[in-house]
Amino acid sequence: MVIAAPSSGSGKTTVATGLMAALRARGLKVSPHKVGPDYIDPGYHALATGRPGRNLDPWLAGEERVLPLFLRGAAGCDVAVVEGVMGLFDGKGDADFASTAHVARLLDAPVVLVVDAARQSRSVAAVAHGFATFDPRVRVGGVVLNRVASDRHEELCRGALDAAGVPVLGAIRRDDAVSTPSRHLGLIPAAEREADAVEAVERLGALVARCCDLDGLMRLAASAPPLMGRAWDPARETRRIGEGVVVAVAGGAAFTFGYAEHVELLRAAGADVATFDPLRDERLPDGTAALVIGGGFPEVYAAELAANEPLRDQVASFGGPIAAECAGLLYLCEELDGRRMCGRVPGRARMTGRLTLGYREAVALGDSPLTRAGERFHGHEFHRTAVAYGGEPLFRWQDGGTDGYGDPLVTASYLHLHWAGAPALAHRLVSSSRSPSVLR
């Protein structure tokens, strides 16, 4: 089933994460998914289910890969819960491509609409009826009311929805105790909250179990027709090069953004994947031949990153290929908010008050460990920082802007990529780590 809403801020993450936790507490194997490029919600989904949270994004991975990626995650599970993005029909630009509705259609999955009932009563029925009839290809199977104020408020909402023929599958009361802390790019990642995040997910599970009709939700999920297709398999997507290539992937509180498929593709290409924490570890893992430094919040931890001089020095002199995006780009710059970083990218980064967010189509302007000149990539940007580069850009956006830095050993930019949509990237990184001076 797909958990959607009329707009952002309605409570999708509360309901989706709580539902995953509640169903797991019943002893079910739950497959967690997220529509769109978001990295943070899947972290909470993973805590709720004990399985990797997987993104389903037609723009990043390709429309044709949504079903195979879903089937990979759902294999062996009793139920799959897909959290939507933004409003149900909000997609890329003026169309619904890559919207929650688009993914629901690709999966032929029923939709549960989470409606924020605060400051309205009978009007919730008009909202739900409008969403249920807007696109007949999308089946809205019921509503979960969120932020219900009282018994009387719930009675009015339920009565109007019953009259409109829209089943009510839950009614959640206002409860500040289950709110999730946030900052400038949304929720604080689960990996940064550690034990507190586990407790928060448990509270969400108890809340949904108490306030929602779990049996009714399971019946709705069971109404989804069988899916015909083959699960995505990283071994079919990339060529195995050999054994013993150690690819070190940055983790820890400062680098929490990453897709599960990246590591799976690297392993399928023959790499041994090791993790390291730039906040705490003073050395790279033994035998490291390539680095992957993904997204996260280095601006929050700039002082700590700067203070770890031994690791910065090692990254600065590292002789293998490096793939970095967004937070990784900032870490490779000469400085971030005036604090010294690794200096592998000629440029200075700073925090700004402006949010840059959206899908991007990019053309590579030169060769690097991951790119070949003239290639096109689908990605997205998500940051409140800016870099003043000192070298030639690596990418040109479709709208004419430029970004990034590349050389024979470094691919670094703000562009977040989903490697399932470009599986050659894993092969290239592992291949160039065996012969760093040769681009294949």
Side-chain angles (χ1 to χ4, degrees):
M1 70 191 106
V2 175
I3 309 301
S7 66
S8 296
S10 299
K12 291 190 302 293
T13 301
T14 295
V15 173
T17 306
L19 178 59
M20 293 172 190
L23 294 176
R24 185 189 187 191
R26 280 193 166 194
L28 298 176
K29 295 179 181 178
V30 183
S31 179
H33 303 268
K34 171 68 180 181
V35 177
D38 183 273
Y39 293 101
I40 298 176
D41 292 344
Y44 288 94
H45 298 171
L47 284 181
T49 64
R51 302 174 68 90
R54 295 182 182 271
N55 294 69
L56 303 173
D57 192 310
W59 174 256
L60 292 183
E63 188 178 39
E64 73 282 2
R65 291 187 182 89
V66 168
L67 176 58
L69 288 169
F70 172 83
L71 291 174
R72 178 172 178 81
C77 290
D78 302 302
V79 60
V81 178
V82 182
E83 181 184 343
V85 61
M86 300 176 64
L88 175 57
F89 299 104
D90 300 328
K92 183 180 182 295
D94 58 358
D96 81 341
F97 188 90
S99 69
T100 303
H102 184 194
V103 171
R105 294 196 303 268
L106 292 173
L107 301 178
D108 204 2
V111 172
V112 177
L113 194 69
V114 179
V115 178
D116 185 349
R119 295 183 295 278
Q120 58 180 321
S121 56
R122 295 186 70 251
S123 295
V124 299
V127 173
H129 182 268
F131 273 80
T133 58
F134 183 77
D135 185 345
R137 300 171 298 171
V138 178
R139 179 164 63 99
V140 176
V143 165
V144 170
L145 297 167
N146 191 31
R147 297 214 299 162
V148 176
S150 64
D151 290 344
R152 178 57 177 163
H153 186 201
E154 181 177 340
E155 181 183 341
L156 290 170
C157 292
R158 284 183 177 271
L161 287 162
D162 287 345
V166 180
V168 178
L169 297 170
I172 299 175
R173 297 297 173 91
R174 296 175 184 170
D175 188 349
D176 293 337
V178 299
S179 63
T180 303
S182 62
R183 59 174 172 236
H184 55 276
L185 292 182
L187 301 181
I188 293 177
E192 294 188 46
R193 299 177 62 195
E194 299 180 340
D196 176 57
V198 175
E199 294 175 5
V201 168
E202 290 175 350
R203 289 196 298 270
L204 290 177
L207 177 71
V208 169
R210 185 173 66 251
C211 299
C212 294
D213 179 4
L214 296 186
D215 292 332
L217 287 162
M218 283 298 297
R219 286 193 295 272
L220 179 63
S223 72
L227 293 172
M228 304 302 294
R230 186 165 66 166
W232 183 82
D233 181 353
R236 290 197 305 267
E237 300 292 329
T238 187
R239 289 184 290 121
R240 194 170 189 85
I241 298 169
E243 306 295 337
V245 175
V246 177
V247 177
V249 178
F255 298 95
T256 57
F257 294 0
Y259 298 124
E261 291 81 4
H262 290 197
V263 170
E264 292 168 351
L265 282 165
L266 287 169
R267 287 175 174 155
D272 294 332
V273 178
T275 59
F276 69 102
D277 184 349
L279 291 176
R280 299 177 180 177
D281 296 332
E282 294 189 349
R283 293 191 57 81
L284 295 171
D286 291 343
T288 295
L291 295 179
V292 176
I293 311 176
F297 291 96
E299 64 272 20
V300 176
Y301 298 97
E304 293 93 329
L305 291 169
N308 190 353
E309 187 175 349
L311 186 66
R312 286 195 297 102
D313 288 345
Q314 195 173 16
V315 173
S317 61
F318 181 69
I322 304 175
E325 57 184 35
C326 203
L329 161 69
L330 305 183
Y331 184 56
L332 293 185
C333 282
E334 297 168 54
E335 62 180 47
L336 170 57
D337 284 338
R339 293 183 172 89
R340 188 175 178 183
M341 293 291 121
C342 298
R344 290 300 296 269
V345 170
R348 291 176 168 80
R350 60 183 176 84
M351 189 73 181
T352 74
R354 178 176 178 269
L355 174 63
T356 300
L357 171 65
Y359 287 125
R360 300 287 182 264
E361 183 174 357
V363 177
L365 300 176
D367 291 350
S368 73
L370 297 189
T371 65
R372 304 296 178 265
E375 287 182 329
R376 293 184 176 273
F377 295 91
H378 281 189
H380 76 102
E381 280 190 278
F382 182 49
H383 58 91
R384 286 189 183 272
T385 57
V387 175
Y389 292 102
E392 294 298 318
L394 178 61
F395 290 113
R396 182 180 68 247
W397 302 144
Q398 187 179 32
D399 64 9
T402 59
D403 179 62
Y405 171 81
D407 64 30
L409 289 179
V410 174
T411 303
S413 81
Y414 275 119
L415 191 68
H416 288 287
L417 298 171
H418 196 305
W419 290 8
L425 301 182
H427 178 270
R428 287 175 181 172
L429 186 69
V430 175
S431 178
S432 61
S433 70
R434 296 175 66 88
S435 301
S437 63
V438 179
L439 292 175
R440 299 180 179 178

